[in-house]
Short mmCIF file of all heavy atoms in Angstrom, two decimals:
data_model
loop_
_atom_site.label_atom_id
_atom_site.label_comp_id
_atom_site.label_asym_id
_atom_site.label_seq_id
_atom_site.Cartn_x
_atom_site.Cartn_y
_atom_site.Cartn_z
N VAL A 242 5.24 6.28 -6.81
CA VAL A 242 6.54 5.83 -6.30
C VAL A 242 6.67 4.32 -6.48
O VAL A 242 7.72 3.82 -6.90
CB VAL A 242 6.73 6.23 -4.82
CG1 VAL A 242 8.02 5.65 -4.27
CG2 VAL A 242 6.72 7.74 -4.67
N ARG A 243 5.60 3.59 -6.18
CA ARG A 243 5.62 2.13 -6.34
C ARG A 243 5.94 1.75 -7.78
O ARG A 243 6.80 0.91 -8.05
CB ARG A 243 4.27 1.54 -5.93
CG ARG A 243 4.16 0.04 -6.21
CD ARG A 243 2.80 -0.52 -5.87
NE ARG A 243 1.68 0.06 -6.59
CZ ARG A 243 1.35 -0.22 -7.86
NH1 ARG A 243 2.09 -1.05 -8.58
NH2 ARG A 243 0.29 0.34 -8.42
N LYS A 244 5.26 2.38 -8.73
CA LYS A 244 5.49 2.08 -10.15
C LYS A 244 6.89 2.47 -10.59
O LYS A 244 7.51 1.78 -11.39
CB LYS A 244 4.43 2.76 -11.02
CG LYS A 244 3.09 2.08 -10.94
CD LYS A 244 2.10 2.70 -11.92
CE LYS A 244 0.84 1.88 -11.96
NZ LYS A 244 -0.06 2.33 -13.02
N ALA A 245 7.40 3.58 -10.06
CA ALA A 245 8.76 4.01 -10.40
C ALA A 245 9.78 2.96 -9.96
O ALA A 245 10.83 2.80 -10.58
CB ALA A 245 9.07 5.36 -9.77
N LYS A 246 9.47 2.24 -8.91
CA LYS A 246 10.35 1.17 -8.42
C LYS A 246 10.12 -0.13 -9.17
O LYS A 246 10.86 -1.10 -8.98
CB LYS A 246 10.13 0.95 -6.92
CG LYS A 246 10.66 2.10 -6.08
CD LYS A 246 10.57 1.76 -4.61
CE LYS A 246 11.30 2.76 -3.77
NZ LYS A 246 12.74 2.71 -3.89
N GLY A 247 9.07 -0.17 -10.01
CA GLY A 247 8.78 -1.37 -10.79
C GLY A 247 8.10 -2.46 -9.97
O GLY A 247 8.16 -3.64 -10.34
N TRP A 248 7.46 -2.08 -8.88
CA TRP A 248 6.80 -3.05 -8.00
C TRP A 248 5.32 -3.16 -8.32
O TRP A 248 4.68 -2.17 -8.68
CB TRP A 248 6.95 -2.66 -6.54
CG TRP A 248 8.34 -2.63 -6.01
CD1 TRP A 248 9.46 -3.12 -6.61
CD2 TRP A 248 8.76 -2.07 -4.77
NE1 TRP A 248 10.56 -2.90 -5.80
CE2 TRP A 248 10.16 -2.26 -4.67
CE3 TRP A 248 8.09 -1.43 -3.73
CZ2 TRP A 248 10.89 -1.84 -3.58
CZ3 TRP A 248 8.82 -1.01 -2.65
CH2 TRP A 248 10.21 -1.22 -2.57
N SER A 249 4.77 -4.33 -8.09
CA SER A 249 3.33 -4.52 -8.18
C SER A 249 2.70 -4.10 -6.86
O SER A 249 3.38 -3.97 -5.84
CB SER A 249 3.01 -6.00 -8.44
OG SER A 249 3.39 -6.78 -7.32
N GLN A 250 1.39 -3.92 -6.88
CA GLN A 250 0.67 -3.63 -5.63
C GLN A 250 0.88 -4.78 -4.65
O GLN A 250 1.07 -4.56 -3.46
CB GLN A 250 -0.83 -3.46 -5.89
CG GLN A 250 -1.25 -2.12 -6.34
CD GLN A 250 -2.78 -1.99 -6.41
OE1 GLN A 250 -3.51 -2.98 -6.44
NE2 GLN A 250 -3.24 -0.76 -6.44
N GLU A 251 0.83 -5.99 -5.18
CA GLU A 251 0.99 -7.17 -4.32
C GLU A 251 2.36 -7.17 -3.63
O GLU A 251 2.45 -7.45 -2.43
CB GLU A 251 0.81 -8.44 -5.15
CG GLU A 251 0.88 -9.70 -4.31
CD GLU A 251 0.62 -10.96 -5.13
OE1 GLU A 251 0.66 -10.91 -6.38
OE2 GLU A 251 0.37 -11.99 -4.49
N ALA A 252 3.40 -6.84 -4.37
CA ALA A 252 4.74 -6.82 -3.78
C ALA A 252 4.84 -5.79 -2.66
O ALA A 252 5.38 -6.09 -1.58
CB ALA A 252 5.79 -6.53 -4.86
N LEU A 253 4.30 -4.60 -2.88
CA LEU A 253 4.36 -3.56 -1.85
C LEU A 253 3.50 -3.95 -0.66
O LEU A 253 3.90 -3.76 0.49
CB LEU A 253 3.94 -2.20 -2.41
CG LEU A 253 3.98 -1.03 -1.42
CD1 LEU A 253 5.36 -0.86 -0.79
CD2 LEU A 253 3.54 0.26 -2.11
N ALA A 254 2.33 -4.51 -0.92
CA ALA A 254 1.45 -4.94 0.17
C ALA A 254 2.16 -5.96 1.06
O ALA A 254 2.13 -5.85 2.30
CB ALA A 254 0.15 -5.52 -0.39
N LYS A 255 2.83 -6.93 0.45
CA LYS A 255 3.56 -7.94 1.23
C LYS A 255 4.67 -7.31 2.06
O LYS A 255 4.85 -7.65 3.23
CB LYS A 255 4.15 -9.01 0.30
CG LYS A 255 3.15 -10.02 -0.17
CD LYS A 255 3.80 -11.08 -1.03
CE LYS A 255 2.77 -12.05 -1.55
NZ LYS A 255 3.36 -13.08 -2.40
N ARG A 256 5.39 -6.38 1.45
CA ARG A 256 6.49 -5.71 2.17
C ARG A 256 5.96 -4.94 3.38
O ARG A 256 6.65 -4.81 4.38
CB ARG A 256 7.24 -4.78 1.23
CG ARG A 256 8.01 -5.51 0.14
CD ARG A 256 8.61 -4.52 -0.84
NE ARG A 256 9.83 -3.98 -0.29
CZ ARG A 256 11.05 -4.21 -0.76
NH1 ARG A 256 11.19 -4.98 -1.83
NH2 ARG A 256 12.11 -3.68 -0.21
N CYS A 257 4.75 -4.41 3.27
CA CYS A 257 4.16 -3.61 4.34
C CYS A 257 3.30 -4.43 5.31
O CYS A 257 2.83 -3.91 6.32
CB CYS A 257 3.31 -2.48 3.75
SG CYS A 257 4.27 -1.24 2.88
N GLY A 258 3.08 -5.69 4.98
CA GLY A 258 2.29 -6.55 5.85
C GLY A 258 0.80 -6.25 5.81
O GLY A 258 0.10 -6.40 6.82
N ILE A 259 0.30 -5.83 4.65
CA ILE A 259 -1.13 -5.57 4.50
C ILE A 259 -1.67 -6.38 3.32
O ILE A 259 -0.89 -6.90 2.51
CB ILE A 259 -1.43 -4.06 4.30
CG1 ILE A 259 -0.75 -3.52 3.04
CG2 ILE A 259 -1.01 -3.27 5.53
CD1 ILE A 259 -1.09 -2.08 2.71
N SER A 260 -2.98 -6.45 3.21
CA SER A 260 -3.57 -7.21 2.11
C SER A 260 -3.50 -6.43 0.80
O SER A 260 -3.43 -5.20 0.79
CB SER A 260 -5.04 -7.54 2.42
OG SER A 260 -5.84 -6.38 2.34
N LEU A 261 -3.55 -7.18 -0.29
CA LEU A 261 -3.58 -6.57 -1.62
C LEU A 261 -4.82 -5.69 -1.76
O LEU A 261 -4.75 -4.59 -2.31
CB LEU A 261 -3.56 -7.66 -2.69
CG LEU A 261 -3.72 -7.20 -4.14
CD1 LEU A 261 -2.63 -6.23 -4.54
CD2 LEU A 261 -3.74 -8.40 -5.07
N ASN A 262 -5.94 -6.15 -1.25
CA ASN A 262 -7.19 -5.40 -1.31
C ASN A 262 -7.03 -4.03 -0.61
O ASN A 262 -7.43 -3.00 -1.15
CB ASN A 262 -8.31 -6.21 -0.66
CG ASN A 262 -9.67 -5.56 -0.79
OD1 ASN A 262 -9.96 -4.89 -1.78
ND2 ASN A 262 -10.50 -5.74 0.21
N PHE A 263 -6.44 -4.04 0.58
CA PHE A 263 -6.24 -2.80 1.33
C PHE A 263 -5.28 -1.88 0.58
O PHE A 263 -5.50 -0.67 0.49
CB PHE A 263 -5.73 -3.13 2.73
CG PHE A 263 -5.63 -1.93 3.65
CD1 PHE A 263 -6.62 -0.96 3.69
CD2 PHE A 263 -4.55 -1.78 4.49
CE1 PHE A 263 -6.53 0.14 4.54
CE2 PHE A 263 -4.44 -0.70 5.34
CZ PHE A 263 -5.43 0.27 5.37
N MET A 264 -4.21 -2.44 0.00
CA MET A 264 -3.25 -1.63 -0.76
C MET A 264 -3.96 -0.93 -1.91
O MET A 264 -3.74 0.27 -2.14
CB MET A 264 -2.12 -2.52 -1.28
CG MET A 264 -1.18 -1.85 -2.23
SD MET A 264 0.17 -0.82 -1.67
CE MET A 264 -0.08 -0.23 -0.12
N GLY A 265 -4.81 -1.64 -2.61
CA GLY A 265 -5.56 -1.04 -3.73
C GLY A 265 -6.44 0.10 -3.26
O GLY A 265 -6.54 1.14 -3.92
N LYS A 266 -7.08 -0.08 -2.12
CA LYS A 266 -7.95 0.97 -1.58
C LYS A 266 -7.15 2.19 -1.13
O LYS A 266 -7.61 3.33 -1.29
CB LYS A 266 -8.80 0.42 -0.44
CG LYS A 266 -9.88 -0.53 -0.94
CD LYS A 266 -10.72 -1.10 0.17
CE LYS A 266 -11.77 -2.02 -0.41
NZ LYS A 266 -12.62 -2.61 0.61
N ILE A 267 -5.96 1.96 -0.59
CA ILE A 267 -5.09 3.08 -0.22
C ILE A 267 -4.73 3.88 -1.47
O ILE A 267 -4.84 5.11 -1.49
CB ILE A 267 -3.82 2.59 0.50
CG1 ILE A 267 -4.15 2.07 1.90
CG2 ILE A 267 -2.78 3.72 0.59
CD1 ILE A 267 -2.99 1.35 2.59
N GLU A 268 -4.32 3.18 -2.52
CA GLU A 268 -3.90 3.86 -3.75
C GLU A 268 -5.06 4.59 -4.43
O GLU A 268 -4.84 5.58 -5.12
CB GLU A 268 -3.24 2.87 -4.71
CG GLU A 268 -1.86 2.47 -4.28
CD GLU A 268 -1.09 1.71 -5.34
OE1 GLU A 268 -1.61 1.49 -6.46
OE2 GLU A 268 0.07 1.35 -5.06
N ARG A 269 -6.27 4.13 -4.24
CA ARG A 269 -7.44 4.81 -4.81
C ARG A 269 -8.01 5.86 -3.88
O ARG A 269 -8.99 6.53 -4.22
CB ARG A 269 -8.52 3.77 -5.19
CG ARG A 269 -8.14 2.90 -6.36
CD ARG A 269 -9.30 2.03 -6.84
NE ARG A 269 -9.89 1.20 -5.80
CZ ARG A 269 -9.42 0.01 -5.39
NH1 ARG A 269 -8.33 -0.48 -5.94
NH2 ARG A 269 -10.05 -0.67 -4.45
N GLY A 270 -7.42 6.01 -2.71
CA GLY A 270 -7.89 7.01 -1.75
C GLY A 270 -9.19 6.63 -1.09
O GLY A 270 -9.89 7.49 -0.54
N LYS A 271 -9.53 5.35 -1.08
CA LYS A 271 -10.80 4.88 -0.53
C LYS A 271 -10.72 4.51 0.94
O LYS A 271 -11.74 4.41 1.60
CB LYS A 271 -11.30 3.65 -1.31
CG LYS A 271 -11.53 3.90 -2.78
CD LYS A 271 -12.69 4.82 -2.99
CE LYS A 271 -12.96 5.00 -4.48
NZ LYS A 271 -13.95 6.01 -4.73
N ARG A 272 -9.51 4.28 1.44
CA ARG A 272 -9.35 3.88 2.84
C ARG A 272 -8.23 4.69 3.48
O ARG A 272 -7.22 4.99 2.84
CB ARG A 272 -8.96 2.40 2.95
CG ARG A 272 -10.02 1.41 2.59
CD ARG A 272 -11.00 1.06 3.71
NE ARG A 272 -10.45 0.73 5.00
CZ ARG A 272 -10.08 -0.48 5.39
NH1 ARG A 272 -10.20 -1.50 4.58
NH2 ARG A 272 -9.62 -0.66 6.61
N ARG A 273 -8.43 5.00 4.74
CA ARG A 273 -7.38 5.63 5.53
C ARG A 273 -6.54 4.53 6.14
O ARG A 273 -7.04 3.45 6.43
CB ARG A 273 -7.99 6.51 6.62
CG ARG A 273 -8.73 7.68 6.04
CD ARG A 273 -9.30 8.53 7.13
NE ARG A 273 -10.03 9.65 6.52
CZ ARG A 273 -10.52 10.64 7.21
NH1 ARG A 273 -10.38 10.69 8.51
NH2 ARG A 273 -11.16 11.62 6.60
N MET A 274 -5.28 4.83 6.37
CA MET A 274 -4.39 3.82 6.93
C MET A 274 -3.93 4.24 8.32
O MET A 274 -3.99 5.42 8.67
CB MET A 274 -3.20 3.62 6.01
CG MET A 274 -2.30 4.84 5.86
SD MET A 274 -1.17 4.71 4.48
CE MET A 274 -1.94 5.86 3.34
N SER A 275 -3.48 3.28 9.08
CA SER A 275 -2.95 3.56 10.41
C SER A 275 -1.58 4.23 10.26
O SER A 275 -0.96 4.19 9.19
CB SER A 275 -2.80 2.27 11.21
OG SER A 275 -1.74 1.48 10.67
N MET A 276 -1.12 4.79 11.35
CA MET A 276 0.20 5.40 11.35
C MET A 276 1.27 4.33 11.09
O MET A 276 2.26 4.60 10.39
CB MET A 276 0.43 6.08 12.70
CG MET A 276 1.45 7.14 12.70
SD MET A 276 1.10 8.35 11.44
CE MET A 276 1.68 9.76 12.25
N ASP A 277 1.07 3.13 11.62
CA ASP A 277 2.02 2.04 11.39
C ASP A 277 2.11 1.69 9.91
O ASP A 277 3.20 1.49 9.37
CB ASP A 277 1.62 0.78 12.19
CG ASP A 277 1.86 0.94 13.68
OD1 ASP A 277 2.68 1.79 14.08
OD2 ASP A 277 1.22 0.19 14.45
N THR A 278 0.96 1.60 9.26
CA THR A 278 0.95 1.28 7.82
C THR A 278 1.60 2.41 7.03
O THR A 278 2.38 2.16 6.11
CB THR A 278 -0.49 1.03 7.32
OG1 THR A 278 -1.03 -0.07 8.05
CG2 THR A 278 -0.53 0.75 5.84
N PHE A 279 1.29 3.65 7.39
CA PHE A 279 1.90 4.79 6.69
C PHE A 279 3.42 4.77 6.86
O PHE A 279 4.16 4.97 5.89
CB PHE A 279 1.31 6.11 7.21
CG PHE A 279 1.88 7.31 6.52
CD1 PHE A 279 1.54 7.58 5.20
CD2 PHE A 279 2.76 8.15 7.17
CE1 PHE A 279 2.07 8.70 4.54
CE2 PHE A 279 3.30 9.25 6.53
CZ PHE A 279 2.95 9.53 5.22
N ALA A 280 3.88 4.50 8.08
CA ALA A 280 5.33 4.43 8.33
C ALA A 280 5.96 3.31 7.51
O ALA A 280 7.05 3.47 6.96
CB ALA A 280 5.60 4.24 9.82
N SER A 281 5.27 2.17 7.41
CA SER A 281 5.77 1.05 6.60
C SER A 281 5.88 1.44 5.13
O SER A 281 6.87 1.12 4.46
CB SER A 281 4.85 -0.16 6.73
OG SER A 281 4.93 -0.71 8.01
N LEU A 282 4.86 2.14 4.63
CA LEU A 282 4.91 2.60 3.23
C LEU A 282 6.11 3.52 3.01
O LEU A 282 6.83 3.37 2.02
CB LEU A 282 3.61 3.32 2.86
CG LEU A 282 2.42 2.45 2.54
CD1 LEU A 282 1.16 3.29 2.44
CD2 LEU A 282 2.65 1.66 1.26
N CYS A 283 6.29 4.48 3.91
CA CYS A 283 7.42 5.41 3.77
C CYS A 283 8.74 4.64 3.78
O CYS A 283 9.62 4.89 2.95
CB CYS A 283 7.42 6.44 4.90
SG CYS A 283 6.08 7.63 4.80
#
């Protein structure tokens, strides 16, 4: 979805208030996120 919008990981991370490192781990399925972060992504 992020790529379909033409956004970088960094741009989405900033919009959600999380670090670029954490965003990368979410996208690779390496880290679980809080409900707040999930709601922000949605």
